Amino acid sequence: MLKKLLLGLFFAQLPYLLLAQEEEETVQTKFQTGMTPAQKLIASTGEDLMTGGNAGHSQTVLSGYGQASFQRNMKYKTSTLNLDRVVLFVGHQFNSRIAFFSELEIADARVEGGKPMGEVGMEQAYLKFSLNSRQYFVAGLFIPRIGILNENHLPTNYNGTERPLVEQLVIPSTWRELGVAFYGQMSALPIAYSIGVVNGLDASNFTHGTGIGDGKGGGQRSAGNNLAMTASVKAFMGDFQVQVSGYAGGTIGLSSYEADSLRVESGLLAAPIYLGEANVQYAKDGFAAKVLASYVAYPKAGDINRTYAKNTASAMYGAYAEVSYNLFQSIKNEKYADRQLIAFARYEKLDLNSKIPANGIYDGTLKQSHLLLGLNYLPIPNIAIKADIRVTNTGPFNKSLLINPPPVMREYPQNNSFLNIGIGYSF
């Protein structure tokens, strides 16, 4: 009944949206005129590199971003250097209504056969169909509007060498799926909204300790038997930006025959998982603050554990708060007009097994708190040099999770700290 209602609401609006008539002036002109600053901000997320007149008719755009990092584990006295990611963006504006966007990512520098390191994959690949200056569809592999980081994942867009852990583990990043979505904004109010249908997650790929992220399809032969819906509402109020978003979808894409043999559900919303998220952002005169909270509920986690032995939690949560200030803000010198030196502090708290089914095993290490203090130096808006310290506290390690313990094993450190240094760019 629920799946019929959700799909019915979406497709009932589809004919009316397709009949919407665009005014005679082009999309690029309307983004630049007749709109409030808040409406212009809604129209461009910072990831849409061809929004706001940056690309004209029949124009191809090449762009990209990347980052490298150094991390020192203070407790184990080990250090790691890594080229975290290099991403190439290719977009093409066919005309004022239709555009193509793509991002190809190489993670961890390279991929070698037989080694569990590195990844090459499409981060985005979709067509954008603009109905008018305020409404458009996307179809293909895209990133739903969930959380802050997913739509603003350029290394120059966030503080710290590492992406916020809550938006890596509780809300997967960067969370891309195949599907179709509709985006719009109100004409009289600075409110944006989105609704989309994408492929569902795959519970057989869930991994203990990484949340639901390993269940993402990522555009690679994802099951079409189960679907998911995402939706968001974003409002701009003066110097504040407020967003609420959600996700609901099935996690089993097997046929009914296969599902019956494994004693699990089948169908569009089989073994559904629910994710809710809310965030508030503030920025003025060099000072910025943001707060985000997210909760995941997975009622059928017990069935997944019985079938796939994944030790999956039935609920998890995460939240963080961050404040930052540009130390160059008060310098009245043209030399520093484009430079920023941002001091920031962020506190994160999460638990990837806040509730576990009867057949699950609690892992105290997944209940974590992190305090980060750091500096970001941007000599120009497209280059970031970062340094920060992360102080981490977790619960104790549960030895019941060890199946074949090694003969020699270090004691798990519940308290640890990490020094991170990194560089990032976007163009």
Side-chain angles (χ1 to χ4, degrees):
M1 186 64 186
L2 176 60
K3 66 185 180 185
K4 291 181 179 179
L5 176 60
L6 291 173
L7 293 174
L9 287 172
F10 179 77
F11 288 108
Q13 298 300 316
L14 190 56
Y16 299 97
L17 296 172
L18 292 174
L19 290 173
Q21 296 297 314
E22 184 177 13
E23 299 173 4
E24 293 183 359
E25 54 184 337
T26 66
V27 171
Q28 285 78 13
T29 302
K30 284 186 287 186
F31 274 140
Q32 296 172 1
T33 61
M35 298 175 65
T36 66
Q39 288 173 319
K40 290 180 181 179
L41 186 56
I42 291 174
S44 176
T45 66
E47 303 293 325
D48 187 339
L49 301 180
M50 295 196 295
T51 294
N54 292 332
H57 294 248
S58 299
Q59 181 174 340
T60 299
V61 174
L62 295 177
S63 185
Y65 67 91
Q67 67 184 92
S69 65
F70 165 87
Q71 183 175 84
R72 174 70 174 176
N73 185 317
M74 299 302 189
K75 184 67 69 172
Y76 284 157
K77 301 186 184 305
T78 58
S79 300
T80 303
L81 283 162
N82 192 44
L83 182 61
D84 301 306
R85 56 185 56 87
V86 174
V87 179
L88 175 65
F89 172 92
V90 179
H92 183 76
Q93 188 87 40
F94 296 98
N95 54 42
S96 62
R97 291 175 178 262
I98 303 175
F100 170 72
F101 296 82
S102 70
E103 288 182 0
L104 176 64
E105 177 183 46
I106 299 177
D108 301 327
R110 65 186 183 188
V111 177
E112 294 185 39
K115 295 185 179 181
M117 296 176 62
E119 177 187 21
V120 176
M122 295 304 300
E123 195 162 270
Q124 298 191 79
Y126 65 87
L127 289 169
K128 178 180 178 181
F129 302 91
S130 298
L131 301 178
N132 50 52
S133 63
R134 296 181 293 103
Q135 298 171 321
Y136 62 90
F137 280 96
V138 298
L141 183 68
F142 67 95
I143 297 174
R145 184 173 288 167
I146 303 175
I148 298 173
L149 182 70
N150 270 314
E151 281 196 321
N152 295 279
H153 56 268
L154 304 187
T156 51
N157 285 357
Y158 61 87
N159 293 320
T161 307
E162 301 173 294
R163 295 173 173 181
L165 293 172
V166 170
E167 293 201 80
Q168 293 188 58
L169 298 173
V170 182
I171 303 174
S173 72
T174 41
W175 191 355
R176 65 267 199 184
E177 302 289 9
L178 281 168
V180 59
F182 173 71
Y183 293 79
Q185 64 186 74
M186 295 183 179
S187 59
L189 296 172
I191 295 177
Y193 52 88
S194 70
I195 183 169
V197 177
V198 297
N199 61 267
L201 298 173
D202 184 353
S204 67
N205 288 330
F206 287 165
T207 304
H208 175 74
T210 62
I212 62 176
D214 288 342
K216 298 181 296 184
Q220 186 181 55
R221 297 186 180 274
S222 302
N225 287 343
N226 61 319
L227 297 177
M229 292 197 68
T230 72
S232 70
V233 177
K234 181 189 296 185
F236 290 82
M237 299 175 290
D239 299 314
F240 287 89
Q241 176 181 323
V242 180
Q243 177 179 290
V244 176
S245 66
Y247 172 98
T251 61
I252 299 175
L254 302 174
S255 67
S256 57
Y257 177 81
E258 294 172 304
D260 288 344
S261 67
L262 294 174
R263 294 192 299 152
V264 292
E265 297 179 356
S266 63
L268 289 180
L269 294 177
I273 200 164
Y274 307 97
L275 183 152
E277 172 272 331
N279 68 76
V280 178
Q281 300 181 70
Y282 172 84
K284 185 176 182 180
D285 298 332
F287 175 79
K290 61 181 69 173
V291 177
L292 179 144
S294 183
Y295 187 84
V296 177
Y298 195 21
K300 298 292 184 178
D303 294 347
I304 300 306
N305 291 341
R306 182 197 65 224
T307 303
Y308 297 114
K310 294 294 183 179
N311 196 27
T312 302
S314 56
M316 58 190 75
Y317 69 83
Y320 71 84
E322 178 184 295
V323 294
S324 63
Y325 182 69
N326 176 18
L327 300 177
F328 289 166
Q329 178 67 27
S330 59
I331 300 178
K332 305 301 181 182
N333 188 321
E334 188 175 342
K335 178 181 177 181
Y336 292 88
D338 290 331
R339 300 183 186 183
Q340 298 181 69
L341 180 60
I342 301 172
F344 78 95
R346 181 168 70 237
Y347 179 75
E348 304 192 52
K349 190 173 183 64
L350 61 134
D351 190 345
L352 298 182
N353 51 193
S354 63
K355 290 184 181 179
I356 57 174
N359 57 6
I361 302 175
Y362 183 77
D363 184 354
T365 67
L366 302 184
K367 186 174 184 179
Q368 307 173 359
S369 64
H370 305 271
L371 175 64
L372 286 89
L373 302 172
L375 289 171
N376 285 4
Y377 174 56
L378 284 78
I380 59 175
N382 299 94
I383 299 293
I385 302 169
K386 307 181 179 188
D388 57 79
I389 293 177
R390 171 162 59 91
V391 179
T392 296
N393 174 264
T394 76
F397 177 74
N398 188 343
K399 294 183 179 179
S400 298
L401 292 167
L402 283 177
I403 299 176
N404 295 308
V408 178
M409 182 177 175
R410 289 182 176 180
E411 182 181 356
Y412 174 77
Q414 291 182 236
N415 298 290
N416 203 348
S417 56
F418 302 85
L419 170 65
N420 298 295
I421 300 173
I423 57 172
Y425 66 88
S426 64
F427 62 91

